[in-house]
Amino acid sequence: MPMQSDANNAPDKNANLSELREVSVPYRAAKFREQSSPYAALADEIYRERVIRARGTPPEEKFLAGEELFEYACQITLAGIRNQNLEFSEEDCRRELNRRLELRKRMEMRR
């Protein structure tokens, strides 16, 4: 795959977009593609565009996005802990979040 460069000799992010667009990216499983819906083609196209955009994202951006998603998930979990335990202080909520994260880690290690 030839890469185009700009004046700084950095790879052009859009150089391979046309090649990526030619790759098939089915959104729905084959058995569901036969079921027609007025929104099916639109859903497939939106999904395809998201996959193409993700494929063109540099690895360092993907890495940072993972951290952002983890932080976001922790904030949602903290909100749930607060809602379930109205008597908890902020410190108690954080302690419970850490307990749940440790539990998750132990469960993964058992696999």
mmCIF file of all heavy atoms in Angstrom, residues 20-34 40-52 55:
data_model
loop_
_atom_site.group_PDB
_atom_site.id
_atom_site.type_symbol
_atom_site.label_atom_id
_atom_site.label_comp_id
_atom_site.label_asym_id
_atom_site.label_seq_id
_atom_site.Cartn_x
_atom_site.Cartn_y
_atom_site.Cartn_z
ATOM 1 N N LEU A 20 -9.661 1.490 2.242
ATOM 2 C CA LEU A 20 -10.469 1.021 3.361
ATOM 3 C C LEU A 20 -11.950 0.968 2.992
ATOM 4 O O LEU A 20 -12.671 0.086 3.426
ATOM 5 C CB LEU A 20 -10.282 1.934 4.573
ATOM 6 C CG LEU A 20 -8.954 1.818 5.294
ATOM 7 C CD1 LEU A 20 -8.860 2.883 6.379
ATOM 8 C CD2 LEU A 20 -8.759 0.447 5.891
ATOM 9 N N ARG A 21 -12.403 1.923 2.200
ATOM 10 C CA ARG A 21 -13.813 1.965 1.829
ATOM 11 C C ARG A 21 -14.224 0.784 0.957
ATOM 12 O O ARG A 21 -15.381 0.430 0.899
ATOM 13 C CB ARG A 21 -14.135 3.279 1.118
ATOM 14 C CG ARG A 21 -14.082 4.454 2.032
ATOM 15 C CD ARG A 21 -14.515 5.721 1.319
ATOM 16 N NE ARG A 21 -14.242 6.895 2.108
ATOM 17 C CZ ARG A 21 -14.940 7.265 3.178
ATOM 18 N NH1 ARG A 21 -15.945 6.548 3.573
ATOM 19 N NH2 ARG A 21 -14.621 8.362 3.838
ATOM 20 N N GLU A 22 -13.254 0.170 0.291
ATOM 21 C CA GLU A 22 -13.565 -0.969 -0.567
ATOM 22 C C GLU A 22 -13.736 -2.255 0.226
ATOM 23 O O GLU A 22 -14.290 -3.228 -0.275
ATOM 24 C CB GLU A 22 -12.455 -1.144 -1.604
ATOM 25 C CG GLU A 22 -12.371 0.023 -2.574
ATOM 26 C CD GLU A 22 -11.154 -0.050 -3.469
ATOM 27 O OE1 GLU A 22 -10.488 -1.092 -3.492
ATOM 28 O OE2 GLU A 22 -10.880 0.946 -4.141
ATOM 29 N N VAL A 23 -13.297 -2.284 1.470
ATOM 30 C CA VAL A 23 -13.385 -3.484 2.295
ATOM 31 C C VAL A 23 -14.812 -3.645 2.794
ATOM 32 O O VAL A 23 -15.437 -2.709 3.258
ATOM 33 C CB VAL A 23 -12.414 -3.379 3.497
ATOM 34 C CG1 VAL A 23 -12.554 -4.577 4.410
ATOM 35 C CG2 VAL A 23 -10.991 -3.236 3.000
ATOM 36 N N SER A 24 -15.314 -4.857 2.697
ATOM 37 C CA SER A 24 -16.661 -5.153 3.155
ATOM 38 C C SER A 24 -16.695 -5.211 4.678
ATOM 39 O O SER A 24 -15.873 -5.877 5.297
ATOM 40 C CB SER A 24 -17.124 -6.490 2.575
ATOM 41 O OG SER A 24 -18.358 -6.839 3.109
ATOM 42 N N VAL A 25 -17.635 -4.522 5.282
ATOM 43 C CA VAL A 25 -17.803 -4.533 6.723
ATOM 44 C C VAL A 25 -19.287 -4.750 7.019
ATOM 45 O O VAL A 25 -20.041 -3.810 7.166
ATOM 46 C CB VAL A 25 -17.335 -3.197 7.352
ATOM 47 C CG1 VAL A 25 -17.452 -3.265 8.866
ATOM 48 C CG2 VAL A 25 -15.923 -2.873 6.938
ATOM 49 N N PRO A 26 -19.711 -6.000 7.105
ATOM 50 C CA PRO A 26 -21.126 -6.246 7.374
ATOM 51 C C PRO A 26 -21.477 -5.927 8.824
ATOM 52 O O PRO A 26 -20.752 -6.305 9.736
ATOM 53 C CB PRO A 26 -21.301 -7.730 7.084
ATOM 54 C CG PRO A 26 -19.949 -8.306 7.292
ATOM 55 C CD PRO A 26 -18.974 -7.237 6.922
ATOM 56 N N TYR A 27 -22.551 -5.202 9.022
ATOM 57 C CA TYR A 27 -23.010 -4.859 10.367
ATOM 58 C C TYR A 27 -23.830 -6.000 10.948
ATOM 59 O O TYR A 27 -23.649 -6.388 12.075
ATOM 60 C CB TYR A 27 -23.840 -3.575 10.320
ATOM 61 C CG TYR A 27 -24.549 -3.265 11.604
ATOM 62 C CD1 TYR A 27 -23.834 -2.942 12.751
ATOM 63 C CD2 TYR A 27 -25.927 -3.301 11.686
ATOM 64 C CE1 TYR A 27 -24.478 -2.662 13.938
ATOM 65 C CE2 TYR A 27 -26.571 -3.006 12.864
ATOM 66 C CZ TYR A 27 -25.846 -2.696 13.988
ATOM 67 O OH TYR A 27 -26.488 -2.418 15.163
ATOM 68 N N ARG A 28 -24.714 -6.525 10.140
ATOM 69 C CA ARG A 28 -25.616 -7.563 10.622
ATOM 70 C C ARG A 28 -25.104 -8.941 10.223
ATOM 71 O O ARG A 28 -24.479 -9.108 9.193
ATOM 72 C CB ARG A 28 -27.013 -7.363 10.036
ATOM 73 C CG ARG A 28 -27.652 -6.077 10.515
ATOM 74 C CD ARG A 28 -28.915 -5.764 9.763
ATOM 75 N NE ARG A 28 -28.534 -5.303 8.430
ATOM 76 C CZ ARG A 28 -29.264 -5.488 7.344
ATOM 77 N NH1 ARG A 28 -30.388 -6.116 7.409
ATOM 78 N NH2 ARG A 28 -28.853 -5.031 6.183
ATOM 79 N N ALA A 29 -25.383 -9.908 11.064
ATOM 80 C CA ALA A 29 -25.024 -11.282 10.742
ATOM 81 C C ALA A 29 -25.765 -11.694 9.476
ATOM 82 O O ALA A 29 -26.841 -11.182 9.158
ATOM 83 C CB ALA A 29 -25.392 -12.201 11.898
ATOM 84 N N ALA A 30 -25.187 -12.630 8.746
ATOM 85 C CA ALA A 30 -25.744 -13.051 7.451
ATOM 86 C C ALA A 30 -27.215 -13.431 7.555
ATOM 87 O O ALA A 30 -28.012 -13.078 6.686
ATOM 88 C CB ALA A 30 -24.926 -14.209 6.907
ATOM 89 N N LYS A 31 -27.599 -14.122 8.603
ATOM 90 C CA LYS A 31 -28.997 -14.559 8.707
ATOM 91 C C LYS A 31 -29.976 -13.395 8.858
ATOM 92 O O LYS A 31 -31.147 -13.515 8.531
ATOM 93 C CB LYS A 31 -29.170 -15.565 9.844
ATOM 94 C CG LYS A 31 -28.952 -15.006 11.213
ATOM 95 C CD LYS A 31 -29.135 -16.099 12.259
ATOM 96 C CE LYS A 31 -28.926 -15.546 13.647
ATOM 97 N NZ LYS A 31 -29.122 -16.547 14.664
ATOM 98 N N PHE A 32 -29.497 -12.237 9.337
ATOM 99 C CA PHE A 32 -30.370 -11.085 9.507
ATOM 100 C C PHE A 32 -30.330 -10.134 8.321
ATOM 101 O O PHE A 32 -31.170 -9.258 8.199
ATOM 102 C CB PHE A 32 -30.007 -10.322 10.786
ATOM 103 C CG PHE A 32 -30.235 -11.124 12.028
ATOM 104 C CD1 PHE A 32 -29.164 -11.514 12.808
ATOM 105 C CD2 PHE A 32 -31.506 -11.500 12.410
ATOM 106 C CE1 PHE A 32 -29.362 -12.257 13.955
ATOM 107 C CE2 PHE A 32 -31.716 -12.245 13.544
ATOM 108 C CZ PHE A 32 -30.639 -12.624 14.322
ATOM 109 N N ARG A 33 -29.360 -10.282 7.434
ATOM 110 C CA ARG A 33 -29.265 -9.386 6.285
ATOM 111 C C ARG A 33 -30.436 -9.551 5.330
ATOM 112 O O ARG A 33 -30.771 -8.626 4.619
ATOM 113 C CB ARG A 33 -27.945 -9.622 5.538
ATOM 114 C CG ARG A 33 -26.839 -8.851 6.171
ATOM 115 C CD ARG A 33 -25.594 -8.900 5.348
ATOM 116 N NE ARG A 33 -24.519 -9.172 6.289
ATOM 117 C CZ ARG A 33 -23.605 -10.082 6.156
ATOM 118 N NH1 ARG A 33 -23.557 -10.823 5.085
ATOM 119 N NH2 ARG A 33 -22.707 -10.260 7.066
ATOM 120 N N GLU A 34 -31.030 -10.727 5.340
ATOM 121 C CA GLU A 34 -32.160 -10.961 4.440
ATOM 122 C C GLU A 34 -33.420 -10.264 4.933
ATOM 123 O O GLU A 34 -34.324 -9.989 4.169
ATOM 124 C CB GLU A 34 -32.408 -12.468 4.308
ATOM 125 C CG GLU A 34 -31.272 -13.168 3.600
ATOM 126 C CD GLU A 34 -30.999 -14.553 4.168
ATOM 127 O OE1 GLU A 34 -31.824 -15.056 4.945
ATOM 128 O OE2 GLU A 34 -29.964 -15.119 3.824
ATOM 129 N N ALA A 40 -32.177 -0.645 7.763
ATOM 130 C CA ALA A 40 -31.075 -1.604 7.694
ATOM 131 C C ALA A 40 -29.895 -1.063 6.891
ATOM 132 O O ALA A 40 -28.749 -1.149 7.334
ATOM 133 C CB ALA A 40 -31.560 -2.922 7.118
ATOM 134 N N ALA A 41 -30.156 -0.522 5.726
ATOM 135 C CA ALA A 41 -29.068 -0.013 4.885
ATOM 136 C C ALA A 41 -28.359 1.160 5.568
ATOM 137 O O ALA A 41 -27.133 1.249 5.539
ATOM 138 C CB ALA A 41 -29.596 0.414 3.527
ATOM 139 N N LEU A 42 -29.126 2.025 6.208
ATOM 140 C CA LEU A 42 -28.537 3.153 6.923
ATOM 141 C C LEU A 42 -27.686 2.664 8.092
ATOM 142 O O LEU A 42 -26.566 3.138 8.301
ATOM 143 C CB LEU A 42 -29.624 4.098 7.429
ATOM 144 C CG LEU A 42 -29.145 5.297 8.243
ATOM 145 C CD1 LEU A 42 -28.215 6.180 7.421
ATOM 146 C CD2 LEU A 42 -30.335 6.089 8.751
ATOM 147 N N ALA A 43 -28.188 1.693 8.858
ATOM 148 C CA ALA A 43 -27.432 1.138 9.984
ATOM 149 C C ALA A 43 -26.133 0.511 9.494
ATOM 150 O O ALA A 43 -25.076 0.683 10.105
ATOM 151 C CB ALA A 43 -28.272 0.112 10.735
ATOM 152 N N ASP A 44 -26.199 -0.224 8.385
ATOM 153 C CA ASP A 44 -24.997 -0.835 7.820
ATOM 154 C C ASP A 44 -23.983 0.227 7.407
ATOM 155 O O ASP A 44 -22.788 0.089 7.672
ATOM 156 C CB ASP A 44 -25.348 -1.697 6.599
ATOM 157 C CG ASP A 44 -25.975 -3.023 6.987
ATOM 158 O OD1 ASP A 44 -25.916 -3.393 8.171
ATOM 159 O OD2 ASP A 44 -26.517 -3.694 6.089
ATOM 160 N N GLU A 45 -24.454 1.286 6.786
ATOM 161 C CA GLU A 45 -23.553 2.336 6.312
ATOM 162 C C GLU A 45 -22.909 3.086 7.479
ATOM 163 O O GLU A 45 -21.708 3.372 7.457
ATOM 164 C CB GLU A 45 -24.295 3.317 5.396
ATOM 165 C CG GLU A 45 -23.408 4.368 4.789
ATOM 166 C CD GLU A 45 -22.273 3.811 3.935
ATOM 167 O OE1 GLU A 45 -22.393 2.700 3.392
ATOM 168 O OE2 GLU A 45 -21.236 4.507 3.841
ATOM 169 N N ILE A 46 -23.685 3.381 8.515
ATOM 170 C CA ILE A 46 -23.144 4.066 9.692
ATOM 171 C C ILE A 46 -22.087 3.195 10.361
ATOM 172 O O ILE A 46 -21.007 3.670 10.704
ATOM 173 C CB ILE A 46 -24.263 4.427 10.684
ATOM 174 C CG1 ILE A 46 -25.143 5.534 10.094
ATOM 175 C CG2 ILE A 46 -23.691 4.844 12.040
ATOM 176 C CD1 ILE A 46 -26.407 5.807 10.878
ATOM 177 N N TYR A 47 -22.386 1.914 10.526
ATOM 178 C CA TYR A 47 -21.425 0.993 11.132
ATOM 179 C C TYR A 47 -20.158 0.903 10.291
ATOM 180 O O TYR A 47 -19.048 0.964 10.812
ATOM 181 C CB TYR A 47 -22.060 -0.387 11.300
ATOM 182 C CG TYR A 47 -21.127 -1.389 11.917
ATOM 183 C CD1 TYR A 47 -20.870 -1.365 13.281
ATOM 184 C CD2 TYR A 47 -20.493 -2.345 11.138
ATOM 185 C CE1 TYR A 47 -20.004 -2.270 13.852
ATOM 186 C CE2 TYR A 47 -19.624 -3.261 11.702
ATOM 187 C CZ TYR A 47 -19.385 -3.224 13.059
ATOM 188 O OH TYR A 47 -18.529 -4.124 13.622
ATOM 189 N N ARG A 48 -20.337 0.788 8.998
ATOM 190 C CA ARG A 48 -19.195 0.684 8.078
ATOM 191 C C ARG A 48 -18.294 1.907 8.193
ATOM 192 O O ARG A 48 -17.074 1.799 8.256
ATOM 193 C CB ARG A 48 -19.724 0.523 6.655
ATOM 194 C CG ARG A 48 -18.691 0.269 5.611
ATOM 195 C CD ARG A 48 -19.417 -0.068 4.291
ATOM 196 N NE ARG A 48 -18.480 -0.145 3.218
ATOM 197 C CZ ARG A 48 -18.018 0.903 2.540
ATOM 198 N NH1 ARG A 48 -18.439 2.105 2.816
ATOM 199 N NH2 ARG A 48 -17.146 0.744 1.570
ATOM 200 N N GLU A 49 -18.894 3.090 8.235
ATOM 201 C CA GLU A 49 -18.114 4.323 8.366
ATOM 202 C C GLU A 49 -17.355 4.361 9.693
ATOM 203 O O GLU A 49 -16.212 4.812 9.753
ATOM 204 C CB GLU A 49 -19.007 5.560 8.229
ATOM 205 C CG GLU A 49 -19.561 5.775 6.835
ATOM 206 C CD GLU A 49 -18.469 6.010 5.803
ATOM 207 O OE1 GLU A 49 -17.475 6.706 6.109
ATOM 208 O OE2 GLU A 49 -18.609 5.488 4.686
ATOM 209 N N ARG A 50 -17.983 3.872 10.772
ATOM 210 C CA ARG A 50 -17.309 3.843 12.071
ATOM 211 C C ARG A 50 -16.123 2.891 12.042
ATOM 212 O O ARG A 50 -15.070 3.190 12.600
ATOM 213 C CB ARG A 50 -18.296 3.439 13.162
ATOM 214 C CG ARG A 50 -19.336 4.523 13.432
ATOM 215 C CD ARG A 50 -20.304 4.115 14.486
ATOM 216 N NE ARG A 50 -19.613 4.115 15.781
ATOM 217 C CZ ARG A 50 -20.120 3.583 16.876
ATOM 218 N NH1 ARG A 50 -21.314 3.007 16.860
ATOM 219 N NH2 ARG A 50 -19.455 3.627 18.007
ATOM 220 N N VAL A 51 -16.284 1.743 11.397
ATOM 221 C CA VAL A 51 -15.186 0.782 11.297
ATOM 222 C C VAL A 51 -14.048 1.365 10.476
ATOM 223 O O VAL A 51 -12.872 1.260 10.848
ATOM 224 C CB VAL A 51 -15.671 -0.560 10.703
ATOM 225 C CG1 VAL A 51 -14.508 -1.463 10.347
ATOM 226 C CG2 VAL A 51 -16.609 -1.263 11.679
ATOM 227 N N ILE A 52 -14.376 2.004 9.374
ATOM 228 C CA ILE A 52 -13.355 2.614 8.524
ATOM 229 C C ILE A 52 -12.591 3.690 9.311
ATOM 230 O O ILE A 52 -11.365 3.754 9.269
ATOM 231 C CB ILE A 52 -13.983 3.204 7.244
ATOM 232 C CG1 ILE A 52 -14.444 2.060 6.331
ATOM 233 C CG2 ILE A 52 -13.019 4.129 6.518
ATOM 234 C CD1 ILE A 52 -15.341 2.496 5.187
ATOM 235 N N ARG A 55 -10.305 2.000 11.831
ATOM 236 C CA ARG A 55 -9.130 1.399 11.185
ATOM 237 C C ARG A 55 -8.082 2.453 10.841
ATOM 238 O O ARG A 55 -6.903 2.161 10.787
ATOM 239 C CB ARG A 55 -9.538 0.658 9.918
ATOM 240 C CG ARG A 55 -10.257 -0.633 10.199
ATOM 241 C CD ARG A 55 -10.672 -1.294 8.909
ATOM 242 N NE ARG A 55 -11.368 -2.546 9.167
ATOM 243 C CZ ARG A 55 -12.008 -3.241 8.249
ATOM 244 N NH1 ARG A 55 -12.050 -2.800 7.005
ATOM 245 N NH2 ARG A 55 -12.614 -4.363 8.573
#
